[in-house]
Amino acid sequence: MSLWNRAQQLPPDALRQVQNVYSEQFPMEVRHYLAGWIEDKMQQWNEIDPENIAHSQYAHTLVAQLIQEIENKALSYGSNEDLFLVRMRLQEAADSFKARYLNTNPLGLVSIVRECLKIELNLVQQHENMLGVGSTPSLVMEPCAEIVSELEILKRRTQETQDELRQLEQEQESFALQYHDCAKITAHLSHIQSQEKTAQNREMETNLRRRKETCEQQLAQKVSGLLQRRMDLAEKHKGTIDRLNSLQQRILDEELINWKREQQMAGNGKPFNTNKLDQIQEWCEALAEIIWLNRHQIKECERHQTKIPITPPGGVDMLPTLNSHITRLLSSLVTSTFIIEKQPPQVMKTNTRFTATVRLLVGGKLNVNMTPPQVRVSIISEAQANALLKNDQMNRGEQSGEILNNTGTMEYHQSSRQLSVSFRNMQLRKIKRAEKKGTESVMDEKFSLLFQSQFSVGGGELVFQVWTLSLPVVVIVHGNQEPHAWATVSWDNAFAEQGRIPFTVPEKVPWPHVADMLDAKFKSATGRGLTEDNLKFLAGKAFRSPQVQDYNNMLLSWSQFCKEPLSERNFTFWEWFFAVMKVTREHLRQPWNDGSILGFIGRRQAEDKLKSSKSGTFLLRFSDSELGGVTIAWMYEDTAKSCDQRDVFMLQPFTSKAFAIRPLADVIADLTYLLYLYPNIPKEQAFGKYYTPMGGEPPSNGYVKPHLITHVPGFPVPPVWSGASSLESYPNTPQPMYPMHDGGMADPPSVGSNAADGVPPMPYNDNDYLDLENLPDPEHLPDFNIDFLQTNFMNPMNPR
């Protein structure tokens, strides 16, 4: 039960307290008539902090929606004279909210609403606790229950009007019989009057006149009763249609639109309840049945009226208007419930197979499956989509590409009661692009898949032409276009506004909205979302201003997001983020979910953390200079020197190519001087469970199986596998192709320092990383100490 319904069941004293909560600032009429909408938005009321000025934009959006809902509700009561005062109060409230809060103080109204709901909830819970009734700890709205309750009311009204229609039919039949009798009396009387005026005929004429008068009086009463019953029935049908209209608007414009929005946000990784569509289908099927029955009743009334065409003096025949209105309701329901259950891929590569599923929610209830309709798919441009929404039709043959296997027949699945068609083998063969302007690229251009069908209901009485558009699609021809294409799609999914012109999006959006989108995408791709520190780091990178402390009030532009290169880099913010997300998803998912990868931390900050840590402490961070690169930073303290030299080293970043050869956990295991994951976690505890198992039975194909290890020149040589202290401990192990440096372990040079004390120079790249991928060829440097890829034979007795 909703909170408002529970509040109305309070005892008189508590109910008066509830009434006192609401005032001119937030009238009770708004609370009552918008109870469902207000409680539907309960999470948003609670998420906005009235004391946080950064939430002003959220509050403005929510207050604007509230005002729109109030005005819509007032408008829906426009034809009901009994609700004239309610309509006026609601309109006054909307005007007041606009003047007082919308543009000047939206947080103020949010604060008032939150306080009203809080007091209301406390009073309800106190009362329910006294009665021993278990109450929910938070404000939980039950829109499903309200919709089901309204559907039950409409079903009862429909049954009542059906019963009244049956009575009207009986009375009309009775009237017809009596009218026929009266006509016979009148004919008999006319015949007698034409006969000779005998005493018998005069007596018979008198009797017939008396019977005729009585019959006419009874007919007049029946006519009056029939007219009243017809008008009462028409009024009841009008009331039912008004309620149907309100409920249908709620289901289609709120529940179904919300489902579509959630489906779009799922493209960015947000959670998505796919089962909700089944619930919406149940509601739509119930609506379809009620609308169809009421439409049939109205047509029956019209048929009865044709049989006995009597109308009240000066009266207006309501039936044509009612019939037109309820047919429009049915048409709206049918066309709105032709939906894409499974969207096609939003980044679509030419000549690549893709799938999609279309469903008609009311198809089974209206027996559309008796003549299964065909669905045709085409791809259209943004301009063509805009023209389609304006004109509600497309020019025949107009499209922007060629799709193979683009037609299918809808099938009815008895077990699920779904009428749908799944396209499993579509393929985009050709695409026709628009001319580009300025800095536009093909990855900025959006298309949409248009699904069209035609079918009839009621034995061909009504013919519907339906269509629906997919979410925006970006077409690519090569894999290197994918990152930018996903930027276009992600920005559109996150920031598209309801009812927009296809496919316009804002040029700038508040950073908190961007942060929410990045967090959802990263969590969906990797399994764990981003922390506040991660998001702050990303904000500094996106705005090119890492020194800023608060980004919540800043707007990020589309150009900053994916057009302009980062400072001193040849790639954009989105390209960097996308590459990090990709390498984490493909190679680092488990340690990232364990929290073993710090990742989003700058070079200087990483050095500061490690300088205060003990020797052997390391952390993992995403490289600023290498797309999709992960570097290991560690603290090394050389106790052999008298001054105990401490330095922070950073390895040349590892990329997906390196991880495909040697997983991260094994690389960390190879580097024996890495002891503790920052701040103080033994590396075996953090990464041991991810080490690749070693040993096992020798291969049966006669070949020696190599084992690869990672080694940094100038640092200790790692053991080949557990239990080994050095490479020399294994008999018959081939010696390196070049002699190991015999100067022993000397001081590791710090970043940017010169080689000294017998240690050969370490190669560095421009970003001061130890470069493992570009080390000199050991064949040409026989005295260079490097074992990046060391071979050890699993079957030394049978080398080959």
Side-chain angles (χ1 to χ4, degrees):
M1 185 184 298
S2 70
L3 174 62
W4 185 242
N5 285 339
R6 289 154 62 194
Q8 293 177 70
Q9 296 177 8
L10 292 172
D13 290 343
L15 191 56
R16 275 193 294 274
Q17 293 182 56
V18 172
Q19 293 170 346
N20 293 335
V21 168
Y22 297 96
S23 62
E24 289 299 318
Q25 289 183 312
F26 190 58
M28 181 174 285
E29 288 85 354
V30 174
R31 178 67 179 99
H32 179 74
Y33 289 99
L34 274 80
W37 186 90
I38 290 171
E39 295 183 36
D40 268 344
K41 301 292 182 182
M42 198 65 73
Q43 183 177 355
Q44 292 173 251
W45 296 117
N46 291 334
E47 286 177 348
I48 297 175
D49 180 5
E51 303 300 323
N52 188 346
I53 193 66
H55 288 187
S56 293
Q57 184 60 41
Y58 301 142
H60 179 275
T61 301
L62 189 58
V63 170
Q65 292 175 355
L66 173 63
I67 292 172
Q68 185 63 51
E69 288 296 321
I70 296 172
E71 291 178 336
N72 291 343
K73 184 66 70 172
L75 194 62
S76 68
Y77 294 150
S79 58
N80 194 329
E81 294 182 1
D82 295 337
L83 296 174
F84 173 77
L85 294 178
V86 172
R87 186 173 80 246
M88 295 299 295
R89 286 286 291 159
L90 290 176
Q91 190 58 55
E92 287 173 3
D95 295 341
S96 174
F97 291 167
K98 284 182 184 177
R100 291 186 182 181
Y101 304 108
L102 182 59
N103 295 317
T104 56
N105 186 22
L107 288 172
L109 182 58
V110 171
S111 178
I112 292 171
V113 175
R114 281 167 54 102
E115 187 63 23
C116 290
L117 295 174
K118 179 181 176 182
I119 296 173
E120 188 180 311
L121 176 64
N122 289 337
L123 290 169
V124 168
Q125 289 182 334
Q126 289 174 15
H127 176 65
E128 291 178 347
N129 290 338
M130 290 173 57
L131 298 177
V133 178
S135 59
T136 54
S138 60
L139 299 178
V140 179
M141 180 56 194
E142 300 175 4
C144 297
E146 288 195 356
I147 290 174
V148 170
S149 174
E150 185 64 18
L151 286 170
E152 289 299 321
I153 293 172
L154 287 166
K155 286 179 182 177
R156 287 199 300 270
R157 288 180 65 96
T158 302
Q159 186 59 52
E160 290 170 2
T161 49
Q162 180 62 43
D163 294 340
E164 292 188 18
L165 179 60
R166 194 174 296 112
Q167 292 177 3
L168 174 64
E169 188 173 0
Q170 292 172 354
E171 289 187 11
Q172 190 156 313
E173 289 175 354
S174 174
F175 172 83
L177 290 173
Q178 193 159 354
Y179 181 84
H180 181 68
D181 290 341
C182 192
K184 286 172 61 177
I185 293 173
T186 302
H188 194 186
L189 178 60
S190 298
H191 176 71
I192 292 297
Q193 288 175 337
S194 65
Q195 299 296 316
E196 185 181 351
K197 302 294 185 179
T198 63
Q200 183 179 2
N201 285 346
R202 281 196 295 270
E203 183 179 357
M204 187 178 295
E205 182 180 349
T206 302
N207 289 335
L208 288 172
R209 286 182 182 280
R210 191 181 303 117
R211 287 174 60 191
K212 181 183 177 184
E213 290 176 1
T214 304
C215 187
E216 287 177 345
Q217 290 175 358
Q218 292 174 345
L219 281 177
Q221 291 175 355
K222 285 187 178 295
V223 166
S224 177
L226 279 175
L227 287 174
Q228 189 60 47
R229 188 171 290 279
R230 284 181 180 178
M231 288 189 294
D232 291 345
L233 191 53
E235 284 294 335
K236 286 192 175 181
H237 277 130
K238 182 179 181 301
T240 299
I241 290 173
D242 289 342
R243 297 189 76 140
L244 278 169
N245 186 45
S246 298
L247 182 59
Q248 183 164 303
Q249 282 184 350
R250 175 169 183 181
I251 293 174
L252 299 182
D253 297 345
E254 294 182 23
E255 300 296 335
L256 187 56
I257 291 297
N258 288 343
W259 180 87
K260 289 182 178 181
R261 180 59 180 156
E262 289 172 8
Q263 185 189 49
Q264 184 174 24
M265 293 302 291
N268 280 0
K270 287 280 190 179
F272 180 46
N273 180 10
T274 55
N275 295 329
K276 185 178 178 182
L277 188 60
D278 295 335
Q279 177 67 77
I280 295 174
Q281 174 169 318
E282 288 186 18
W283 296 336
C284 291
E285 286 180 331
L287 273 177
E289 183 176 16
I290 294 169
I291 290 173
W292 189 261
L293 290 174
N294 277 274
R295 184 173 181 274
H296 177 71
Q297 291 177 14
I298 292 170
K299 291 177 72 67
E300 281 294 295
C301 289
E302 288 182 318
R303 185 175 64 84
H304 292 323
Q305 189 163 298
T306 303
K307 282 185 175 182
I308 304 180
I310 52 176
T311 55
V316 177
D317 187 3
M318 295 174 58
L319 293 180
T321 302
L322 294 177
N323 192 8
S324 174
H325 193 171
I326 202 162
T327 302
R328 282 200 304 271
L329 278 180
L330 181 62
S331 177
S332 174
L333 180 63
V334 171
T335 54
S336 298
T337 55
F338 182 66
I339 55 100
I340 303 172
E341 182 178 8
K342 180 184 177 185
Q343 290 282 342
Q346 288 189 265
V347 174
M348 186 177 296
K349 192 175 180 182
T350 54
N351 298 311
T352 302
R353 187 177 68 89
F354 65 92
T355 64
T357 301
V358 177
R359 182 167 159 188
L360 181 61
L361 301 185
V362 297
K365 183 60 68 174
L366 296 178
N367 293 322
V368 175
N369 54 297
M370 301 305 291
T371 307
Q374 272 212 335
V375 180
R376 185 169 62 87
V377 190
S378 56
I379 187 167
I380 62 175
S381 67
E382 184 172 329
Q384 290 167 337
N386 193 4
L388 174 62
L389 288 180
K390 284 183 178 178
N391 305 323
D392 197 33
Q393 62 182 6
M394 283 281 293
N395 295 331
R396 190 171 184 83
E398 187 176 3
Q399 53 188 16
S400 292
E402 178 187 342
I403 299 178
L404 295 182
N405 305 315
N406 67 331
T407 58
T409 303
M410 302 193 86
E411 298 178 358
Y412 184 70
H413 306 277
Q414 190 67 43
S415 58
S416 60
R417 298 182 297 106
Q418 295 177 8
L419 182 69
S420 62
V421 56
S422 293
F423 297 89
R424 296 185 177 88
N425 294 290
M426 287 195 290
Q427 190 176 113
L428 180 61
R429 291 296 303 275
K430 297 178 182 177
I431 191 67
K432 183 169 62 176
R433 299 188 182 276
E435 292 185 7
K436 303 296 176 290
K437 300 176 182 178
T439 61
E440 288 181 345
S441 71
V442 295
M443 289 84 77
D444 294 324
E445 188 175 8
K446 302 172 194 173
F447 297 88
S448 182
L449 264 61
L450 171 64
F451 296 80
Q452 295 173 287
S453 185
Q454 178 176 309
F455 51 84
S456 61
V457 299
E461 178 190 0
L462 297 174
V463 178
F464 295 102
Q465 292 183 339
V466 296
W467 57 267
T468 186
L469 287 173
S470 74
L471 294 174
V473 168
V474 177
V475 177
I476 63 174
V477 297
H478 194 278
N480 62 10
Q481 297 174 318
E482 186 177 351
H484 192 133
W486 274 115
T488 301
V489 165
S490 301
W491 190 275
D492 191 280
N493 285 344
F495 311 125
E497 297 176 354
Q498 185 177 337
R500 64 173 174 171
I501 298 173
F503 294 107
T504 57
V505 287
E507 177 63 26
K508 295 182 178 181
V509 292
W511 168 252
H513 295 184
V514 180
D516 182 63
M517 181 259 284
L518 296 177
D519 175 54
K521 290 196 73 69
F522 208 87
K523 184 175 182 180
S524 174
T526 67
R528 181 170 74 87
L530 303 172
T531 65
E532 286 298 322
D533 287 340
N534 297 156
L535 293 171
K536 186 174 181 180
F537 173 84
L538 289 172
K541 185 173 286 290
F543 286 108
R544 288 73 167 167
S545 304
Q547 70 279 3
V548 177
Q549 294 300 312
D550 185 7
Y551 298 92
N552 287 329
N553 295 322
M554 298 178 67
L555 298 176
L556 186 73
S557 70
W558 167 246
S559 294
Q560 290 173 311
F561 183 71
C562 81
K563 288 285 189 180
E564 301 168 1
L566 294 173
S567 302
E568 300 180 3
R569 302 285 182 248
N570 61 354
F571 49 79
T572 66
F573 167 78
W574 171 259
E575 287 173 330
W576 181 89
F577 178 82
F578 186 85
V580 163
M581 184 167 60
K582 187 172 186 289
V583 74
T584 306
R585 180 187 68 222
E586 294 175 355
H587 300 285
L588 312 174
R589 186 182 184 92
Q590 291 176 313
W592 168 258
N593 285 322
D594 289 345
S596 300
I597 298 177
L598 199 54
F600 298 97
I601 182 174
R603 181 190 188 90
R604 189 181 302 277
Q605 189 179 1
E607 290 177 346
D608 292 341
K609 286 180 179 294
L610 291 173
K611 283 177 180 177
S612 60
S613 303
K614 55 187 175 183
S615 180
T617 302
F618 68 98
L619 59 80
L620 304 167
R621 57 177 288 267
F622 298 124
S623 169
D624 292 314
S625 58
E626 183 87 18
L627 283 178
V630 180
T631 187
I632 302 174
W634 80 97
M635 165 56 67
Y636 181 79
E637 180 177 355
D638 188 358
T639 56
K641 283 194 171 183
S642 57
C643 59
D644 290 350
Q645 181 177 340
R646 290 168 56 85
D647 286 298
V648 174
F649 291 87
M650 295 195 184
L651 284 180
Q652 168 71 19
F654 296 86
T655 62
S656 291
K657 188 183 298 184
F659 289 137
I661 299 171
R662 189 76 168 143
L664 173 67
D666 292 341
V667 170
I668 292 172
D670 294 341
L671 305 178
T672 56
Y673 40 84
L674 302 183
L675 303 176
Y676 307 101
L677 177 66
Y678 182 85
N680 191 26
I681 304 171
K683 77 171 182 181
E684 298 294 330
Q685 178 182 331
F687 294 97
K689 53 184 172 292
Y690 304 126
Y691 293 166
T692 302
M694 310 243 309
E697 295 295 325
S700 59
N701 57 8
Y703 287 98
V704 178
K705 183 177 180 179
H707 170 64
L708 308 178
I709 61 173
T710 308
H711 172 52
V712 178
F715 287 85
V717 177
V720 180
W721 49 67
S722 59
S725 60
S726 70
L727 295 177
E728 289 75 12
S729 63
Y730 289 88
N732 301 320
T733 299
Q735 295 302 308
M737 297 170 59
Y738 50 92
M740 301 294 289
H741 192 276
D742 56 3
M745 179 62 198
D747 298 323
S750 61
V751 172
S753 65
N754 296 320
D757 300 322
V759 179
M762 297 184 190
Y764 289 84
N765 69 357
D766 293 338
N767 295 283
D768 292 335
Y769 289 109
L770 295 176
D771 191 343
L772 294 185
E773 297 185 357
N774 299 305
L775 290 171
D777 188 344
E779 293 185 5
H780 301 297
L781 293 174
D783 61 341
F784 198 81
N785 182 7
I786 171 175
D787 300 306
F788 178 52
L789 301 178
Q790 172 69 44
T791 302
N792 291 275
F793 295 100
M794 302 293 291
N795 188 359
M797 302 304 294
N798 185 23
R800 182 172 294 204

